[in-house]
Amino acid sequence: MANPIVARSLDEIKFWSRIMKEHALFLSLGFTYEQKQLIDEAKHFITLFERIEEKLTNFSINSDWQQIQSFNNEVYQAAAAIWSYKRKVLGLTLRCEIRSNNYPLLVDHISREAAYFANRLKELNQGVLDPKPEAIIEENVFFLKIMADHAKFIGHLLDPSERKLVEQAREFSHDFDQLVFQAIDLDSMRPQSETKPLLSQFLNQNKVSVASLRDFKKTARELIEECRIKSNIHPLLADHTFREAERFLEIIDLFEASLKR
């Protein structure tokens, strides 16, 4: 019988390694031509995570757990390394030592995702599969902030003349900022707030909002791919943010299932 931790490990690596590879690409595209060293470092990470994706094909849900633990450790090191690189870029940007087209919030955003990925691998290697009540709140704070950031990035990267879409993005940004604050409030009430009725309502409310944002991203992705709107959004970036919204919905489903046990 397949080990569920093996299956989850492979799923996390499949999803997040692609995300990390794309982060490196987006950073490289945002640097200016004289920032060659930073571009070369980004290209190194693209290659590193491509190799991880290739290695992933050698494993299956029936693979030996010790082999998967070793692979998790290897990928953890890669995630930690790209996190360190992203934080270095953030520091250079905030100290005005470099000027690029990578927003500081974007660099911070993608470093938070690298930290999340590394932490997930660490938890899985410790045998942690089912989320604890506090993890439900914490992960929602994390992902709600990610969704709020996405709305802000979309609003800023759309051409200002796309007034309707820009306004929609701003509305999503405001809505998700409110959800983040609400999640932080629930987090500060722990452990008393860790009741099934409260967590169930919390997840349901978030699910509705994330599904709405996911649909907006899907529409934006299609419009960008078909060159029907004006923006500085790379088609891959549009798909990237859509996939992360889909991922959040999958995680909410897992949390809801855990509350029913």
Side-chain angles (χ1 to χ4, degrees):
M1 187 175 177
N3 184 334
I5 297 186
V6 168
R8 184 68 60 79
S9 295
L10 297 178
D11 179 69
E12 295 282 0
I13 293 171
K14 180 181 180 181
F15 179 82
W16 287 108
S17 288
R18 181 181 178 186
I19 294 294
M20 295 298 112
K21 179 180 69 175
E22 291 171 356
H23 285 170
L25 172 63
F26 300 146
L27 283 173
S28 72
L29 294 174
F31 292 127
T32 57
Y33 73 94
E34 73 269 16
Q35 292 158 356
K36 187 175 183 303
Q37 183 179 342
L38 291 171
I39 292 171
D40 287 344
E41 287 183 75
K43 288 179 178 177
H44 160 75
F45 282 111
I46 293 172
T47 302
L48 177 61
F49 282 98
E50 281 178 344
R51 287 175 183 160
I52 287 170
E53 288 180 315
E54 289 171 7
K55 287 185 179 181
L56 184 63
T57 61
N58 297 324
F59 300 102
S60 73
I61 58 172
N62 297 311
S63 292
D64 179 71
W65 170 229
Q66 288 187 326
Q67 288 184 319
I68 297 300
Q69 280 184 307
S70 178
F71 187 42
N72 281 352
N73 282 329
E74 179 185 343
V75 181
Y76 172 88
Q77 295 299 325
I82 197 171
W83 173 86
S84 180
Y85 167 68
K86 290 168 178 176
R87 298 309 287 185
K88 179 180 75 172
V89 172
L90 179 61
L92 291 170
T93 304
L94 292 177
R95 293 191 300 272
C96 297
E97 293 178 32
I98 62 167
R99 297 186 187 277
S100 72
N101 293 315
N102 296 312
Y103 293 124
L105 182 62
L106 171 65
V107 183
D108 175 61
H109 172 101
I110 61 177
S111 73
R112 278 182 265 129
E113 292 186 352
Y116 172 87
F117 181 27
N119 187 56
R120 285 296 297 126
L121 292 169
K122 189 175 180 180
E123 288 178 340
L124 287 165
N125 266 8
Q126 293 171 347
V128 178
L129 182 63
D130 291 330
K132 296 177 182 178
E134 63 267 25
I136 292 177
I137 299 173
E138 288 171 358
E139 286 218 20
N140 273 267
V141 171
F142 169 80
F143 274 104
L144 289 169
K145 180 73 166 69
I146 293 297
M147 296 299 113
D149 290 348
H150 284 172
K152 292 174 178 62
F153 299 148
I154 292 168
H156 283 284
L157 291 171
L158 286 164
D159 190 85
S161 68
E162 296 287 356
R163 300 174 190 276
K164 184 67 176 176
L165 287 173
V166 169
E167 183 59 31
Q168 283 181 275
R170 285 176 180 163
E171 288 173 0
F172 276 116
S173 172
H174 173 75
D175 289 347
F176 275 88
D177 281 345
Q178 295 304 111
L179 289 172
V180 169
F181 293 141
Q182 189 165 297
I184 291 171
D185 288 341
L186 196 65
D187 188 46
S188 72
M189 295 178 190
R190 289 171 39 205
Q192 287 79 7
S193 60
E194 294 165 0
T195 70
K196 285 190 176 182
L198 282 177
L199 292 177
S200 178
Q201 170 62 15
F202 174 62
L203 290 172
N204 184 63
Q205 187 175 45
N206 292 344
K207 188 174 186 177
V208 171
S209 295
V210 177
S212 180
L213 178 60
R214 184 269 319 271
D215 293 344
F216 171 73
K217 289 176 175 178
K218 183 180 179 182
T219 299
R221 181 190 65 180
E222 291 167 356
L223 293 172
I224 290 164
E225 287 174 347
E226 295 166 7
C227 200
R228 292 168 60 191
I229 59 172
K230 304 174 291 298
S231 80
N232 286 339
I233 302 173
H234 193 292
L236 183 59
L237 178 58
D239 184 60
H240 180 101
T241 62
F242 168 76
R243 277 181 272 122
E244 289 190 0
E246 286 271 86
R247 186 70 173 186
F248 188 14
L249 288 171
E250 291 172 7
I251 289 170
I252 290 175
D253 286 342
L254 288 173
F255 286 153
E256 287 181 328
S258 73
L259 290 177
K260 292 175 183 176
R261 290 175 193 154

